[in-house]
Amino acid sequence: MVTLVVATTADPASVGPASAFLAMPGWNPGPSLSEGMESFANGDVRLLKHENSIVAEDDLDRRWEAATGESVAEVIFLSRHTAVSNRPALTVHPIGVPHLREDEIPPQGGRPGWAALPNPRIGPWLRLLKKIADSLGLLPEFEVTLEATHHGPVVNTPTLFLEIGSTEEYWGRQDAAQAIALLMWEGLGLGGGGSVGEWKGKDGVWVGHLLSGYSLPMEDPNQKKVKTSEKTIGGTWKQSIKVAYEATVSAFPGGEVLAHLDHKSFKGWQKNAITSFLAEQNIKIGKPEDFF
């Protein structure tokens, strides 16, 4: 089983960390998946570079297996991050578009009503990234943050995105690229230490999918002359919760998956509807002390 790291030469926030990663010892040329793609190997890690948008190349894990005979255990994508705040940031997040209807076209890759298995490394790597960023003097200039689930591409194995944001000025920052490269180097155990964040049914708090408000589209019942209840509120919010929950359960076999509801982010009728649906689906809502 191998770890597949994916970068694109079309994005400075992707190719920068990839180049810094490849500058570390132990790399050898790997097989070519197709024209315009090149790969490199280091132990059980494979780095694949292509020329397209990072969200445009679907099923790279299966394509790698078909071309090389190597099974892919996880995929790590390198990309840029954008935000209205323009604040410099280093981010980690799972991917998917679980809220989209079948007739909708995902604006940034993925498949409607789909969420990738969240890579169990997300939580441990966020903590490790904060330590590395601090050691490189990137704090407090850069915010190190966990983002909500969004965009593609389609994959079939546990996945996470590592991103540098939030403007062109920071996408090409070499110190930020070095931080992401060191995260992978240490996190994947290439430096001689143990791998960080492998799920083995251990205790502790881990991170699965995070659904933001736009991923929980709910039709306002005040627009209808019906009694408000979980069953009368339209939108794809139920689909989104169910898909994200099932993907998280699959990513953490043997673990107990708890939901956390940020009450400040929802109106009363939304909180009531979500709470009722979680109970209906036998999804346990964790208490604050379960997470922090």
Side-chain angles (χ1 to χ4, degrees):
M1 301 284 280
V2 299
T3 294
L4 186 63
V5 178
V6 181
T8 173
T9 57
D11 177 2
S14 180
V15 74
S19 297
F21 196 31
L22 290 173
M24 295 172 178
W27 292 98
N28 295 295
S32 176
L33 200 61
S34 64
E35 185 176 352
M37 295 187 178
E38 61 178 340
S39 72
F40 305 85
N42 192 339
D44 293 330
V45 179
R46 307 290 180 264
L47 191 147
L48 177 67
K49 289 199 292 186
H50 63 73
E51 301 171 342
N52 299 320
S53 166
I54 198 71
V55 300
E57 294 285 351
D58 289 337
D59 298 311
L60 283 173
D61 48 354
R62 287 182 175 172
R63 290 159 62 187
W64 181 269
E65 291 175 10
T68 68
E70 294 181 331
S71 296
V72 175
E74 61 183 332
V75 185
I76 298 165
F77 290 93
L78 308 177
S79 178
R80 63 184 164 194
H81 167 72
T82 59
V84 175
S85 68
N86 291 335
R87 181 175 179 179
L90 301 172
T91 78
V92 185
H93 73 84
I95 65 171
V97 283
H99 61 293
L100 294 186
R101 300 186 308 269
E102 285 187 8
D103 60 346
E104 293 184 280
I105 299 175
Q108 292 182 300
R111 183 172 61 238
W114 161 87
L117 272 64
N119 193 319
R121 297 187 194 274
I122 289 173
W125 277 28
L126 177 69
R127 294 187 282 270
L128 178 57
L129 180 56
K130 286 183 177 180
K131 292 179 181 178
I132 292 172
D134 188 38
S135 70
L136 294 179
L138 291 172
L139 303 181
E141 179 187 13
F142 277 77
E143 178 183 26
V144 178
T145 185
L146 182 66
E147 281 193 279
T149 299
H150 62 300
H151 67 64
V154 173
V155 286
N156 311 279
T157 47
T159 299
L160 65 82
F161 259 66
L162 300 174
E163 301 185 346
I164 299 174
S166 300
T167 63
E168 188 172 0
E169 176 185 354
Y170 299 102
W171 295 335
R173 280 271 294 261
Q174 184 57 41
D175 50 358
Q178 187 68 16
I180 298 296
L182 282 172
L183 173 65
M184 294 187 289
W185 181 258
E186 294 183 19
L188 294 172
L190 291 177
S195 175
V196 176
E198 288 186 88
W199 172 252
K200 297 178 181 177
K202 295 179 293 185
D203 294 333
V205 178
W206 300 69
V207 178
H209 278 290
L210 295 86
L211 300 178
S212 61
Y214 70 80
S215 291
L216 295 168
M218 307 173 79
E219 295 175 1
D220 190 342
N222 294 322
Q223 304 299 319
K224 301 178 180 179
K225 295 181 179 180
V226 295
K227 184 179 179 180
T228 300
S229 76
E230 172 260 316
K231 298 188 184 300
T232 63
I233 298 172
T236 57
W237 59 281
K238 293 181 185 178
Q239 166 190 297
S240 188
I241 291 173
K242 193 170 183 179
V243 168
Y245 174 75
E246 290 174 350
T248 302
V249 169
S250 295
F252 295 92
E256 181 183 18
V257 177
L258 303 178
H260 172 66
L261 184 61
D262 183 4
H263 292 277
K264 301 188 297 297
S265 301
F266 299 96
K267 297 178 181 178
W269 62 270
Q270 292 174 312
K271 289 185 287 187
N272 292 337
I274 292 172
T275 300
S276 295
F277 181 68
L278 291 174
E280 177 187 306
Q281 298 295 310
N282 295 314
I283 300 173
K284 183 180 177 182
I285 299 178
K287 299 176 183 179
E289 54 266 29
D290 293 326
F291 299 97
F292 308 106

